[in-house]
Amino acid sequence: MDPKPPSPPHVLIFPFPAQGHVNSMLKLTELLLPAGLHITFVISAKDHDRLSRFTTVHSRLNSYPGFRFHVIHGIYEGTMDTDEKLTLMIDSMPKVTTPVIRNLLLESKVTCFIADGIMGFSLDAAEGTGVPVMFFRTISACAFWAYFCIPDLINSGDLPFQGTNLDERIVNVKGMEEFLRRQDLPSFCRSGLNNHFFQEITTVTRRTTEAHALILNTFDNLEGSILSQIQKHIPNIYTIGPLHSHLKSRSTSQSTISSNSLFEEDKSCIDWLNQQPPKSVLYVSFGSLATITNDQLTEFWYGLVNSGKPFLWVIREDLVRENNKVPCELEEGTKERGYLVGWAPQELVLAHPAVGAFLTHNGWNSTLESVVEGVPMVSWPFFADQQMNSRFVEVVWKLGVDMKDTCDRGIVENIVKEVMEVRKDEFVNSGRRMAELAKEAVSSGGSSYRNLDRLIQDIKLMSARSG
Ligand code: UDP
């Protein structure tokens, strides 16, 4: 009698329940499934429900016999726009999810556990099960490295900040000595050493050294010098991004964009974009978590209208903390040149020929989506890793201008004009070069392409060894 064929490797994937995390870990899932891996994707009930309502993810993934969602109930479902609320979420997660994860690891013959590296308790949940844990971080390598260096910055006296001058230089993050300022460090560094979230993110980032490997949604030609710094502490890194572009390049299906939106996309903006001249439109979005005050809304609004550029603006239902009425003196300019939506099909928008620049909060997914399309950026980072990303956009990659903490109407108007008129050719050219490098990375033989193959082979080897 022939021996029973070995069962395929089984990977447990567990993202933090937020748009950027769920999105990129679903893209990773879609890249792993065609290699014959079985995947259980752990998801909160709220996100599962939203994906069912607003995307085709179920039909896409359920076509693989080895795929299933495992839905967890009882996870915090509120907003996460402040340190306090983020802390609430982060603190509630281990309690609710650890028993479930542990049970899955023990009962479901899991080969490897790919956990969102922001959830250090995943290592504890896996302890004693014999299942190797890989950390997937959804942020840039530069932001990861800054988080990793925080204990060194405390030792060197850079943290906590003495005084209020955020322009002061930081020279103790290796690889960034030439250009880093206090204001470029992850936003939690401004809150003081006792801030709970600051402590949590510092500890969890250092705990990456306990994981079997680190997976990052980036590519070597974008962040090579920083990656080599990280590699001194974490030797096994798989850089496999930009994931959305990687998925498109390996996809055999006609539909090239796999939306994982937790909000309903308003596709009418594509018809509006179709009527605009090439590279004329400023696309404005602050992602899924950022919130702004009514004053900030007003300043942005004046800046956008006064820049004279057509603009497509994502004003999420919960973007503005107070109310979001258009100032009446701006109604005319908005009607003439603006188009507002509650949520956009962003990958489609950034790929549209009418889009000339992106006013972004520099969430890592948004940043990479802009890089891939060669769209220049006006950066207005909101929190967490975004302050680092915007610095790299301006001084390292030279893909745009970093507004940082200001959003005065005059500054918005001037920087939009700087990016879309005065220095347009410069940014379009550097954007085009970087977009080519991104596409190379995910094409056959490119660095991310090879790293994904290596990741798949390594998981298969783990499975063969565990027999
Ligand atoms: N996004 C979208 N439509 C929008 C705004 C955002 O599809 O109107 C998507 C965007 O393409 C990205 C994700 O939401 O993939 C936001 O992730 P990011 O890391 O940029 O920011 P976060 O929401 O985590 O702050």
Side-chain angles (χ1 to χ4, degrees):
M1 224 172 68
D2 288 341
K4 218 172 125 216
S7 40
H10 179 199
V11 183
L12 186 70
I13 298 190
F14 180 29
F16 183 73
Q19 175 69 77
H21 297 246
V22 171
N23 179 32
S24 46
M25 291 185 86
L26 277 171
K27 304 256 183 205
L28 171 70
T29 302
E30 272 193 273
L31 279 163
L32 295 179
L33 282 168
L37 308 188
H38 283 193
I39 293 183
T40 300
F41 193 95
V42 178
I43 189 158
S44 72
K46 180 183 172 195
D47 291 348
H48 185 257
D49 172 58
R50 284 172 166 251
L51 286 173
S52 314
R53 284 193 287 144
F54 304 135
T55 74
T56 58
V57 76
H58 285 82
S59 58
R60 290 198 322 263
L61 298 184
N62 287 332
S63 65
Y64 294 94
F67 176 80
R68 71 180 177 116
F69 277 116
H70 186 95
V71 179
I72 300 194
H73 296 267
I75 291 177
Y76 167 83
E77 294 190 348
T79 56
M80 287 181 276
D81 58 326
T82 62
D83 284 11
E84 291 72 31
K85 291 185 205 160
L86 256 177
T87 304
L88 212 62
M89 164 66 108
I90 292 208
D91 285 352
S92 77
M93 286 291 287
K95 248 184 271 138
V96 180
T97 62
T98 298
V100 182
I101 294 292
R102 204 166 166 76
N103 200 39
L104 283 168
L105 292 173
L106 289 169
E107 305 291 324
S108 316
K109 290 211 169 69
V110 175
T111 312
C112 165
F113 176 23
I114 302 183
D116 194 322
I118 203 172
M119 299 186 293
F121 64 85
S122 300
L123 288 164
D124 306 324
E127 185 148 353
T129 62
V131 178
V133 181
M134 295 194 189
F135 266 1
F136 178 102
R137 282 305 285 267
T138 58
I139 54 175
S140 55
C142 59
F144 178 88
W145 180 231
Y147 282 134
F148 197 89
C149 291
I150 284 174
D152 303 329
L153 293 177
I154 295 171
N155 283 338
S156 61
D158 289 296
L159 286 174
F161 299 153
Q162 304 298 321
T164 53
N165 181 10
L166 290 178
D167 288 332
E168 210 157 285
R169 292 284 299 281
I170 298 285
V171 294
N172 289 307
V173 179
K174 289 210 175 71
M176 305 184 194
E177 298 87 343
E178 303 297 320
F179 55 83
L180 202 66
R181 304 159 302 176
R182 283 177 172 176
Q183 60 191 290
D184 305 319
L185 286 172
S187 65
F188 308 119
C189 293
R190 302 179 188 191
S191 333
L193 305 194
N194 293 327
N195 175 276
H196 181 65
F197 196 71
F198 171 84
Q199 293 176 345
E200 182 69 30
I201 195 86
T202 305
T203 309
V204 85
T205 303
R206 281 281 163 144
R207 286 200 77 185
T208 312
T209 55
E210 296 170 43
H212 180 84
L214 171 63
I215 305 171
L216 287 172
N217 183 11
T218 188
F219 58 102
D220 295 357
N221 269 328
L222 187 70
E223 298 196 274
S225 64
I226 301 301
L227 286 162
S228 58
Q229 297 291 345
I230 302 173
Q231 221 142 15
K232 291 177 192 162
H233 304 263
I234 303 160
N236 196 13
I237 304 180
Y238 302 91
T239 46
I240 57 172
L243 281 168
H244 70 290
S245 174
H246 205 158
L247 186 57
K248 265 187 252 171
S249 89
R250 293 208 185 208
S251 173
T252 45
S253 94
Q254 288 305 311
S255 111
T256 50
I257 292 184
S258 312
S259 164
N260 300 320
S261 273
L262 301 176
F263 303 83
E264 187 168 15
E265 292 173 345
D266 182 345
K267 295 205 172 75
S268 68
C269 58
I270 301 296
D271 297 331
W272 180 82
L273 283 174
N274 288 341
Q275 292 155 31
Q276 311 303 321
K279 295 208 186 305
S280 65
V281 173
L282 177 71
Y283 171 57
V284 186
S285 164
F286 303 123
S288 62
L289 300 173
T291 53
I292 59 177
T293 62
N294 206 42
D295 284 348
Q296 288 171 322
L297 178 87
T298 306
E299 292 304 309
F300 275 123
W301 215 314
Y302 269 101
L304 296 181
V305 170
N306 293 345
S307 76
K309 307 290 170 209
F311 59 93
L312 166 59
W313 191 357
V314 178
I315 303 194
R316 268 182 7 249
E317 209 182 345
D318 58 350
L319 173 71
V320 186
R321 285 178 218 141
E322 297 108 49
N323 64 67
N324 56 2
K325 250 178 82 55
V326 51
C328 48
E329 64 277 26
L330 298 179
E331 269 175 19
E332 198 51 43
T334 305
K335 218 164 42 203
E336 231 172 63
R337 293 188 292 283
Y339 198 83
L340 311 182
V341 291
W343 191 252
Q346 183 163 301
E347 283 185 49
L348 273 178
V349 166
L350 286 168
H352 197 286
V355 172
F358 183 12
L359 169 45
T360 170
H361 71 311
N362 277 133
W364 188 233
N365 289 283
S366 297
T367 306
L368 280 178
E369 288 158 13
S370 210
V371 164
V372 164
E373 299 304 337
V375 174
M377 287 171 256
V378 174
S379 299
W380 189 71
F382 178 67
F383 74 167
D385 56 318
Q386 296 153 16
Q387 273 75 11
M388 287 295 297
N389 300 339
S390 68
R391 187 61 171 162
F392 270 67
V393 163
E394 179 172 293
V395 302
V396 181
W397 305 320
K398 306 203 185 310
L399 298 175
V401 173
D402 185 6
M403 285 201 317
K404 251 332 176 274
D405 300 308
T406 52
C407 66
D408 165 272
R409 64 189 71 180
I411 294 179
V412 175
E413 177 186 343
N414 286 340
I415 296 187
V416 169
K417 285 181 177 160
E418 185 180 346
V419 172
M420 298 187 77
E421 286 172 19
V422 185
R423 298 171 64 193
K424 178 179 173 188
D425 292 346
E426 177 190 333
F427 290 126
V428 167
N429 289 334
S430 47
R432 192 179 296 131
R433 276 196 297 276
M434 193 57 88
E436 276 163 18
L437 292 176
K439 288 196 178 98
E440 259 171 51
V442 297
S443 303
S444 178
S447 59
S448 294
Y449 192 96
R450 282 182 282 116
N451 284 337
L452 178 66
D453 284 347
R454 182 166 65 86
L455 173 63
I456 292 166
Q457 287 317 316
D458 289 349
I459 294 173
K460 287 185 173 170
L461 268 176
M462 284 175 189
S463 172
R465 277 199 213 107
S466 67

